[in-house]
Short mmCIF file of all heavy atoms in Angstrom, two decimals:
data_model
loop_
_atom_site.label_atom_id
_atom_site.label_comp_id
_atom_site.label_asym_id
_atom_site.label_seq_id
_atom_site.Cartn_x
_atom_site.Cartn_y
_atom_site.Cartn_z
N ALA A 254 152.40 283.89 94.04
CA ALA A 254 151.26 284.13 94.93
C ALA A 254 151.09 285.64 95.12
O ALA A 254 152.06 286.41 94.96
CB ALA A 254 151.50 283.45 96.28
N ALA A 255 149.87 286.05 95.49
CA ALA A 255 149.61 287.48 95.74
C ALA A 255 150.59 288.00 96.79
O ALA A 255 150.89 287.33 97.77
CB ALA A 255 148.17 287.67 96.21
N GLY A 256 151.11 289.21 96.55
CA GLY A 256 152.01 289.83 97.52
C GLY A 256 153.41 289.24 97.54
O GLY A 256 154.12 289.36 98.55
N SER A 257 153.83 288.64 96.44
CA SER A 257 155.17 288.02 96.42
C SER A 257 156.23 288.98 95.90
O SER A 257 155.94 289.91 95.14
CB SER A 257 155.17 286.78 95.52
OG SER A 257 154.41 285.75 96.11
N ARG A 258 157.45 288.71 96.31
CA ARG A 258 158.62 289.38 95.75
C ARG A 258 159.68 288.30 95.53
O ARG A 258 159.87 287.42 96.38
CB ARG A 258 159.15 290.46 96.69
CG ARG A 258 160.38 291.19 96.14
CD ARG A 258 160.91 292.20 97.13
NE ARG A 258 160.06 293.37 97.27
CZ ARG A 258 160.11 294.44 96.48
NH1 ARG A 258 160.97 294.51 95.48
NH2 ARG A 258 159.31 295.46 96.69
N ALA A 259 160.35 288.35 94.38
CA ALA A 259 161.37 287.35 94.08
C ALA A 259 162.53 288.01 93.35
O ALA A 259 162.38 289.07 92.72
CB ALA A 259 160.79 286.23 93.22
N LEU A 260 163.70 287.39 93.48
CA LEU A 260 164.91 287.87 92.84
C LEU A 260 165.37 286.81 91.85
O LEU A 260 165.59 285.66 92.24
CB LEU A 260 165.99 288.09 93.91
CG LEU A 260 167.36 288.53 93.43
CD1 LEU A 260 167.30 289.94 92.86
CD2 LEU A 260 168.35 288.48 94.60
N LEU A 261 165.48 287.20 90.58
CA LEU A 261 165.97 286.28 89.55
C LEU A 261 167.40 286.67 89.20
O LEU A 261 167.66 287.83 88.84
CB LEU A 261 165.08 286.37 88.30
CG LEU A 261 165.53 285.53 87.10
CD1 LEU A 261 165.41 284.03 87.40
CD2 LEU A 261 164.72 285.90 85.85
N ILE A 262 168.33 285.72 89.33
CA ILE A 262 169.71 285.96 88.92
C ILE A 262 170.12 284.90 87.91
O ILE A 262 169.55 283.80 87.89
CB ILE A 262 170.70 285.96 90.12
CG1 ILE A 262 170.65 284.63 90.88
CG2 ILE A 262 170.41 287.13 91.05
CD1 ILE A 262 171.71 284.49 91.97
N GLY A 263 171.09 285.21 87.07
CA GLY A 263 171.55 284.23 86.10
C GLY A 263 172.84 284.68 85.46
O GLY A 263 173.27 285.83 85.61
N GLY A 264 173.45 283.75 84.74
CA GLY A 264 174.67 284.06 84.02
C GLY A 264 175.25 282.82 83.39
O GLY A 264 174.76 281.71 83.60
N VAL A 265 176.26 283.02 82.56
CA VAL A 265 176.95 281.89 81.94
C VAL A 265 177.74 281.15 83.02
O VAL A 265 178.48 281.79 83.79
CB VAL A 265 177.89 282.39 80.83
CG1 VAL A 265 178.73 281.24 80.28
CG2 VAL A 265 177.10 283.04 79.70
N PRO A 266 177.57 279.82 83.13
CA PRO A 266 178.29 279.09 84.19
C PRO A 266 179.79 279.36 84.14
O PRO A 266 180.39 279.39 83.06
CB PRO A 266 177.97 277.62 83.89
CG PRO A 266 176.68 277.66 83.13
CD PRO A 266 176.71 278.94 82.33
N ILE A 267 180.39 279.57 85.30
CA ILE A 267 181.83 279.83 85.39
C ILE A 267 182.59 278.58 84.96
O ILE A 267 182.25 277.47 85.38
CB ILE A 267 182.18 280.23 86.84
CG1 ILE A 267 181.78 281.68 87.08
CG2 ILE A 267 183.67 280.04 87.11
CD1 ILE A 267 182.14 282.19 88.46
N ASP A 268 183.62 278.77 84.12
CA ASP A 268 184.38 277.61 83.63
C ASP A 268 185.83 277.69 84.07
O ASP A 268 186.71 277.09 83.44
CB ASP A 268 184.27 277.50 82.10
CG ASP A 268 184.88 278.70 81.41
OD1 ASP A 268 185.30 279.65 82.10
OD2 ASP A 268 184.94 278.69 80.16
#
Side-chain angles (χ1 to χ4, degrees):
S257 291
R258 180 183 288 275
L260 177 67
L261 176 67
I262 58 173
V265 174
I267 282 183
D268 63 355

